[in-house]
Amino acid sequence: QKEVEQNSGPLSVPEGAIASLNCTYSDRGSQSFFWYRQYSGKSPELIMSIYSNGDKEDGRFTAQLNKASQYVSLLIRDSQPSDSATYLCALEGSGIAAGNKLTFGGGTRVLVKP
Amino acid sequence: GAVVSQHPSWVICKSGTSVKIECRSLDFQATTMFWYRQFPKQSLMLMATSNEGSKATYEQGVEKDKFLINHASLTLSTLTVTSAHPEDSSFYICSARNRLAYEQYFGPGTRLTVT
């Protein structure tokens, strides 16, 4: 079982609709979770961080965290063609050995169609 | 805020030469920086963790004598690819962890081509 799992997609979404991305993880001790967006040929860009159970909203993005069920999700409202990218779910591992390293999921490719 | 720069953005070098890549956090202090490598259509691969003032910690399978990392200050880490070979051609990306927060921010990456 992978430590962080995401559906690879592609997730095809009409322009203006809501894109819903999910991520499950296995490390129960993780406290810090992140969503990154990566365009083809570019480096990842941090779009959301979440540390507590519940929802966190930032503009068109909402992250949801449920530590008991070990999942974190990302909603993109009013999806735009410019949102077409690969979205990476990441968590900071728990314990000293983890050394603040990020563990990434394989990424979900999102395609927003005009 | 939270800007990380890398220099150069791309470099072409001949086989056997060395290349140095700089990673700077421009508006925050980073006690920890990370170096990744990414091949086309593949996932990010962590190469090493760099802590200010101490030796880098390399991931399994990464040659520490080939990929020299120096983290001389809270805003600068360098990666030197020594005796580069064509198989070292890749996209090298650094990230910096904000000393006062938990977030990591990535630099724009350096595309290395070894001929």
Side-chain angles (χ1 to χ4, degrees):
Chain A
Q1 181 189 3
K2 291 182 181 177
E3 295 182 54
V4 181
E5 299 222 34
Q6 294 182 255
N7 188 316
S8 61
L11 175 65
S12 186
V13 178
E15 183 175 358
I18 296 175
S20 178
L21 292 77
N22 297 311
C23 170
T24 58
Y25 61 93
S26 59
D27 184 354
R28 282 194 172 275
S30 295
Q31 300 295 319
S32 305
F33 304 86
F34 309 93
W35 284 98
Y36 289 87
R37 176 174 63 194
Q38 187 174 24
Y39 293 111
S40 180
K42 302 293 185 182
S43 66
E45 173 192 7
L46 178 67
I47 53 174
M48 289 289 285
S49 59
I50 187 166
Y51 311 108
S52 304
N53 283 327
D55 295 358
K56 179 182 178 182
E57 185 174 320
D58 184 359
R60 296 186 295 112
F61 299 100
T62 299
Q64 300 171 318
L65 174 61
N66 184 323
K67 292 183 182 179
S69 301
Q70 295 173 251
Y71 83 78
V72 58
S73 63
L74 180 71
L75 298 177
I76 307 173
R77 289 183 300 280
D78 188 23
S79 296
Q80 301 297 310
S82 59
D83 294 326
S84 298
T86 296
Y87 289 79
L88 302 170
C89 172
L91 58 82
E92 197 168 80
S94 60
I96 297 174
N100 304 130
K101 292 187 288 189
L102 291 178
T103 300
F104 287 91
T108 298
R109 193 157 70 96
V110 173
L111 295 174
V112 181
K113 297 187 174 181
Chain B
V3 178
V4 177
S5 70
Q6 271 186 253
H7 178 80
S9 56
W10 61 270
V11 58
I12 301 173
C13 71
K14 292 188 175 181
S15 188
T17 61
S18 296
V19 173
K20 180 185 282 189
I21 302 170
E22 288 189 352
C23 176
R24 292 180 185 272
S25 55
L26 298 185
D27 52 3
F28 65 96
Q29 293 183 329
T31 48
T32 307
M33 290 184 173
F34 303 86
W35 287 94
Y36 295 83
R37 182 164 56 177
Q38 188 173 37
F39 293 104
K41 298 192 183 300
Q42 293 189 22
S43 301
L44 288 166
M45 187 190 81
L46 179 66
M47 299 174 66
T49 302
S50 165
N51 288 297
E52 187 261 340
S54 62
K55 290 184 179 180
T57 302
Y58 292 82
E59 295 299 300
Q60 193 171 9
V62 178
E63 299 175 59
K64 63 179 181 180
D65 294 330
K66 181 172 182 62
F67 299 99
L68 301 179
I69 292 171
N70 183 273
H71 192 156
S73 75
L74 288 173
T75 59
L76 173 63
S77 177
T78 60
L79 167 70
T80 301
V81 182
T82 63
S83 186
H85 291 286
E87 57 264 32
D88 298 323
S89 298
S90 187
F91 190 38
Y92 291 85
I93 312 171
C94 72
S95 73
R97 187 177 189 270
N98 192 323
R99 186 171 70 95
L100 300 177
Y102 300 119
E103 290 131 354
Q104 286 187 32
Y105 298 91
F106 284 83
T110 296
R111 203 163 296 281
L112 170 64
T113 301
V114 184
T115 62

